[in-house]
Amino acid sequence: MSSGSTEHHDLFPKDSGDRNGQDSPPSRIHAELEKGSTTDFQQFEATNQCRHYPKIHMEPQEESTPNLKQFIIRKLKKSCQCSSAKAKNTIFGFLPVLRWLPKYDVKKNILGDMMSGLIVGILLVPQSIAYSLLAGQQPIYGLYTSFFASLIYFLLGTSRHISVGIFGILCLMIGEVVDRELHKAGYDTAHIDPSFGVVSNRSSSLNQTPDGICDRNCYAIRVGSTVTFMAGVYQVVMGFFQVGFVSVYLSDALLSGFVTGASFTILTSQAKYLLGLSLPRSHGVGSLITTWIHIFRNIHKTNLCDLITSLLCLLVLLPTKELNEHFKSKLKAPIPTELIVVVAATLASHFGRLNEKYNTSVAEDIPTGFMPPEAPDWNLIPSVAMDAVAISIIGFAITVSLSEMFAKKHGYTVKANQEMYAIGFCNIIPSFFHCFTTSAALAKTLVKESTGCQTQLSGVVTALVLLLVFLVIAPLFYSLQKCVLGVITIVNLRGALHKFKDLPKMWRVNRIDTVIWFVTMLSSALLSTEIGLLIGVCFSMFCVILRTQKPKSSLLGLVGDSELFESMSAYKNLQTKPGIKIFRFVAPLYYINKECFKSTLYKKTLNPILVKVAQKKAAKRKIKKEAVTLSGIPDEVSVQLSPDPLEVHAIVIDCSSIQFLDTAGIHTLKEVRNDYEAIGIQVLLAQCNPSVRDSLARGEYCRKEDENLFYSVYEAVAFAEESQNQKGVCIPNGLSLSSDKLNK
């Protein structure tokens, strides 16, 4: 009739069959939600309810047998062909700036790009300095990181609105790796064997290396840049092999729980700066708990000057952040409170000589200009390669999801693969210039969008602001207290911690997602960020398996005079056909849920095993009775009484929600069919998708071509009624006579 690619709903527009696997009200048909038991089926005469429907036959498309050798040759020819047009497309695809910059509308876009770039740059100055502390680096390296990321994304990125730069969660993960490697190298040890060539003092340690003297800060940025290089390589490789599908395993609930859990770790790591305590960072599983134990053990050593400064900064930053959020629709640009606090605190610390009088911890010397480029430490790669995997996945997942979200909002498209290249090179190239890992950040992206950003050119303006800072202004932050940077970091965690307000709504919408959020959040906070991410991914996949292991199933009834069938447990006033049970299973049928499918089907319809056992017992009793009769009474009965007829003569399985079958699923369907046929009940499959039909054909389910397979539930029901009428007639007194005997 038509090609195999024709959609089934084009052939049967009236038969919805609930293809989404959920019991939803059919369109234009009024069906009331079930509040009580379903009504008894309406009795129709056989002539009225059984119209003859010719079985539909569809001719499948002929599929050519795939030849691996020809496929590879064809792909190689396509890839190796070179032409000017292909070279141009390749270059323009890798450097999107060459496409959009020549078409840049200066009058329309320049003002918004300048304003947003300037404001984001001003916000990035204090955040870059503060997040450097979180990553275990000197402040200048945070400024370098944000500068190079803004420039490179301008050249390679396809999103017009996201802000790529320093990101708190990644800084935390980098900081954990840096601290671990510093500890392994002996920089955090007070007394070390002289053979290591280490000289310890109050502020730093010096390590003798073949290249010369590399102090603690030098080694820290070596570790950070090496991790960043490896993360960038992973991201570029994933882009090259187009394995961005990895990000689909990071659901919104999982990412949200991970960010919230990591926020508690960030808050914990910054608490010592607010109190002015000098404590080593805890490593490994349970570092959050051990850090708080160390804090409370040393609480009596709190520096009062740092504590008072922290409280004053909190009293200023928290209300102004809330005001910015509350009046963001009325403000043309957010108030740069962080920059104001940094400037004021630096002036107060400098002129009050707080470091000299109260021994407060300050940022110290921030050099100006660029440092000479330096390659990552190749010897460190075996130690940090595995750490870079989680960092790379989190970085590209957040970047791609934010870019797609804002592209959809503003009506343009982004290339996810190119975004992976962009964020990868935002890590690879800066790793040679003393930088650490970057990604998109939601808070700065929202600021960028709300201040009128139009294109990626705003990133250049942001880079110029940062360039001005570390070329000229950076040394002025010498007296800035570290507690101020810690307060800025903690205040910027508000967004992640506000997720707790959304939990009641999340619970109402989807309880499983809420459980995933809690498991990921708690494991990320109480164990470690990497382990928390792994547990979150495994648990979310387990929840998916659990949903398919015990899915929803229901019996279906006919809606009014239509050809629609819906769940009898969800709606009332549905009609049932005498002797026919229609069963829907809302999940793929595979090895995990095969027993659930079988047991649920038998429970909701008729258990053929029990019927078979009952029939055997009845046959034994009948033999005993016949033996007694033959011994004492002559046979005077001409018509033999048969066992009571079964209430069901056909079972229709609605396969519209079964996405696929595996070998175990096919075997289960065969078992079900054999069990029911043994007691004289037909099993018909309806609305199988092409994948299921192909699996059934390969598994030799059908003895004949398309036997007992139907394109709609209504067609299967009509076939069952017609075949039953042709097979025989049930007489009310319990006698079973075939149609041939009646004709005699």
Side-chain angles (χ1 to χ4, degrees):
M1 290 178 59
S2 62
S3 66
S5 60
T6 307
E7 295 290 343
H8 295 163
H9 55 73
D10 292 335
L11 294 171
F12 294 92
K14 294 182 180 180
D15 187 12
S16 70
D18 193 6
R19 297 181 186 274
N20 294 329
Q22 298 177 349
D23 298 321
S24 57
S27 59
R28 299 186 300 277
I29 300 293
H30 175 69
E32 299 181 38
L33 282 174
E34 176 70 332
K35 296 182 180 178
S37 60
T38 57
T39 58
D40 294 336
F41 60 83
Q42 297 182 0
Q43 295 289 346
F44 295 101
E45 292 185 6
T47 55
N48 292 331
Q49 59 175 299
C50 184
R51 292 175 291 170
H52 179 71
Y53 278 80
K55 189 169 182 181
I56 297 172
H57 295 280
M58 298 179 69
E59 184 178 355
Q61 290 276 17
E62 293 183 3
E63 296 183 1
S64 58
T65 305
N67 189 312
L68 182 61
K69 182 179 178 181
Q70 292 179 357
F71 175 78
I72 294 173
I73 293 173
R74 187 167 61 251
K75 284 289 183 183
L76 287 175
K77 284 183 178 180
K78 185 178 179 181
S79 301
C80 296
Q81 286 177 351
C82 187
S83 63
S84 58
K86 186 174 181 180
K88 181 180 177 182
N89 288 334
T90 303
I91 294 171
F92 278 42
F94 185 70
L95 294 170
V97 65
L98 299 178
R99 290 187 184 274
W100 63 263
L101 191 58
K103 304 174 185 178
Y104 186 79
D105 190 338
V106 177
K107 292 182 179 179
K108 181 181 178 182
N109 299 330
I110 192 64
L111 184 61
D113 287 339
M114 291 284 289
M115 178 64 70
S116 62
L118 180 64
I119 291 169
V120 172
I122 292 171
L123 292 176
L124 269 176
V125 171
Q127 288 186 16
S128 298
I129 297 173
Y131 286 165
S132 299
L133 202 65
L134 185 61
Q137 308 295 340
Q138 291 296 293
I140 189 64
Y141 300 135
L143 295 171
Y144 286 163
T145 300
S146 296
F147 169 78
F148 282 106
S150 299
L151 276 184
I152 295 170
Y153 191 81
F154 159 75
L155 298 173
L156 301 177
T158 59
S159 174
R160 303 172 193 170
H161 294 89
I162 66 169
S163 174
V164 175
I166 204 161
F167 181 50
I169 305 300
L170 297 184
C171 289
L172 171 69
M173 299 174 77
I174 289 287
E176 290 174 345
V177 179
V178 167
D179 283 351
R180 185 194 69 209
E181 294 302 316
L182 285 173
H183 184 72
K184 285 168 62 177
Y187 284 97
D188 288 342
T189 307
H191 302 286
I192 303 176
D193 191 280
S195 62
F196 286 99
V198 177
V199 183
S200 300
N201 56 37
R202 176 175 172 272
S203 61
S204 63
S205 304
L206 298 178
N207 190 16
Q208 183 70 37
T209 66
D211 299 330
I213 301 299
C214 183
D215 65 6
R216 187 182 191 281
N217 297 329
C218 167
Y219 195 74
I221 192 58
R222 277 191 182 181
V223 175
S225 60
T226 305
V227 176
T228 299
F229 175 80
M230 289 305 301
V233 168
Y234 291 148
Q235 288 165 341
V236 170
V237 169
M238 285 189 286
F240 180 78
F241 288 104
Q242 299 184 358
V243 291
F245 66 87
V246 175
S247 63
V248 304
Y249 295 103
L250 306 178
S251 65
D252 291 340
L254 187 148
L255 279 177
S256 176
F258 172 75
V259 170
T260 305
S263 297
F264 282 108
T265 307
I266 294 173
L267 188 150
T268 301
S269 68
Q270 300 301 296
K272 63 181 182 181
Y273 296 112
L274 273 64
L275 300 173
L277 298 175
S278 179
L279 301 173
R281 180 180 286 186
S282 299
H283 305 279
V285 176
S287 58
L288 181 139
I289 297 173
T290 55
T291 300
W292 281 109
I293 291 173
H294 290 153
I295 289 174
F296 284 112
R297 283 179 178 174
N298 294 273
I299 196 75
H300 60 282
K301 300 178 182 178
T302 300
N303 188 307
L304 291 178
C305 183
D306 281 335
L307 178 60
I308 293 170
T309 304
S310 301
L311 292 175
L312 290 174
C313 292
L314 282 171
L315 289 174
V316 173
L317 286 172
L318 284 176
T320 50
K321 283 279 188 179
E322 292 297 329
L323 288 173
N324 273 339
E325 184 69 23
H326 188 71
F327 295 105
K328 63 181 180 181
S329 59
K330 297 180 180 179
L331 293 172
K332 293 184 178 180
I335 303 170
T337 318
E338 293 169 337
L339 185 63
I340 295 171
V341 166
V342 165
V343 172
T346 304
L347 293 174
S349 177
H350 176 73
F351 290 107
R353 295 189 297 175
L354 301 181
N355 177 248
E356 299 173 9
K357 291 182 179 180
Y358 304 104
N359 196 28
T360 60
S361 180
V362 296
E364 298 180 347
D365 185 43
I366 302 177
T368 57
F370 289 98
M371 295 184 182
E374 182 181 348
D377 191 339
W378 311 119
N379 296 324
L380 284 170
I381 289 179
S383 301
V384 302
M386 289 305 299
D387 300 290
V389 173
I391 292 172
S392 64
I393 292 175
I394 290 294
F396 91 74
I398 291 175
T399 302
V400 171
S401 60
L402 283 179
S403 61
E404 289 179 344
M405 180 176 72
F406 282 91
K408 183 178 180 180
K409 181 178 180 180
H410 291 275
Y412 63 93
T413 58
V414 293
K415 297 179 180 179
N417 232 38
Q418 181 60 28
E419 288 297 298
M420 293 175 68
Y421 282 131
I423 198 63
F425 282 105
C426 280
N427 289 321
I428 291 176
I429 297 173
S431 68
F432 290 85
F433 294 92
H434 312 281
C435 300
F436 45 92
T437 314
T438 59
S439 77
L442 178 60
K444 291 186 282 291
T445 300
L446 288 172
V447 171
K448 190 174 181 179
E449 180 207 27
S450 63
T451 51
C453 175
Q454 300 295 322
T455 67
Q456 296 94 313
L457 189 64
S458 63
V460 177
V461 180
T462 299
L464 291 175
V465 174
L466 295 168
L467 181 66
L468 176 66
V469 171
F470 64 72
L471 288 182
V472 181
I473 305 174
L476 300 178
F477 295 114
Y478 178 92
S479 300
L480 177 62
Q481 292 172 260
K482 288 185 178 180
C483 65
V484 177
L485 301 177
V487 169
I488 291 173
T489 302
I490 290 174
V491 168
N492 281 302
L493 300 175
R494 291 162 47 259
L497 298 178
H498 278 172
K499 293 293 182 181
F500 284 98
K501 293 182 179 179
D502 300 332
L503 287 182
K505 181 179 179 181
M506 189 189 299
W507 179 260
R508 289 193 299 269
V509 173
N510 194 309
R511 296 184 178 183
I512 293 181
D513 279 350
T514 311
V515 175
I516 292 172
W517 187 93
F518 263 110
V519 169
T520 310
M521 185 271 295
L522 291 174
S523 56
S524 299
L526 299 178
L527 300 178
S528 71
T529 50
E530 293 86 357
I531 295 176
L533 179 64
L534 180 62
I535 289 175
V537 171
C538 294
F539 184 74
S540 61
M541 294 177 68
F542 170 74
C543 288
V544 172
I545 295 172
L546 191 64
R547 293 183 194 188
T548 60
Q549 186 176 1
K550 290 191 175 181
K552 292 182 179 180
S553 58
S554 59
L555 293 178
L556 307 184
L558 185 64
V559 181
D561 296 330
S562 70
E563 296 182 0
L564 299 175
F565 291 85
E566 287 297 339
S567 171
M568 296 173 65
S569 61
Y571 304 99
K572 62 182 181 179
N573 298 329
L574 300 180
Q575 302 169 6
T576 58
K577 296 290 184 179
I580 301 175
K581 297 287 186 181
I582 307 167
F583 177 75
R584 175 184 290 158
F585 189 72
V586 190
L589 180 55
Y590 63 126
Y591 71 99
I592 288 179
N593 60 16
K594 62 175 185 176
E595 292 301 327
C596 176
F597 169 82
K598 197 172 179 180
S599 61
T600 308
L601 175 63
Y602 289 176
K603 182 179 179 181
K604 288 184 178 290
T605 57
L606 187 69
N607 192 326
I609 309 298
L610 297 180
V611 172
K612 193 70 176 175
V613 171
Q615 287 180 348
K616 288 181 179 179
K617 289 182 179 180
K620 289 180 180 179
R621 288 196 299 268
K622 183 179 178 181
I623 292 172
K624 291 181 180 178
K625 290 181 180 179
E626 286 179 350
V628 173
T629 303
L630 291 173
S631 62
I633 305 173
D635 187 6
E636 297 178 353
V637 181
S638 59
V639 179
Q640 291 185 346
L641 291 174
S642 69
D644 293 337
L646 297 174
E647 296 179 356
V648 180
H649 62 78
I651 291 176
V652 178
I653 301 177
D654 179 6
C655 301
S656 60
S657 299
I658 300 178
Q659 293 93 346
F660 64 86
L661 297 171
D662 69 351
T663 306
I666 298 170
H667 185 67
T668 301
L669 286 176
K670 288 181 178 180
E671 285 183 351
V672 167
R673 182 186 62 187
N674 294 336
D675 288 346
Y676 279 115
E677 285 182 349
I679 59 173
I681 296 177
Q682 291 184 288
V683 176
L684 310 176
L685 305 183
Q687 297 191 149
C688 301
N689 63 45
S691 171
V692 172
R693 280 179 167 268
D694 184 61
S695 298
L696 293 173
R698 292 174 185 272
E700 298 179 349
Y701 173 82
C702 300
R703 301 184 183 93
K704 299 178 182 178
E705 185 179 0
D706 288 344
E707 179 192 29
N708 295 342
L709 298 182
F710 299 87
Y711 286 99
S712 72
V713 175
Y714 198 86
E715 181 193 6
V717 171
F719 175 83
E721 289 181 317
E722 185 176 354
S723 61
Q724 179 64 15
N725 290 336
Q726 293 176 356
K727 183 179 179 181
V729 178
C730 294
I731 300 177
N733 63 4
L735 298 176
S736 177
L737 299 177
S738 67
S739 56
D740 295 335
K741 292 180 180 179
L742 287 175
N743 292 333
K744 292 178 183 178

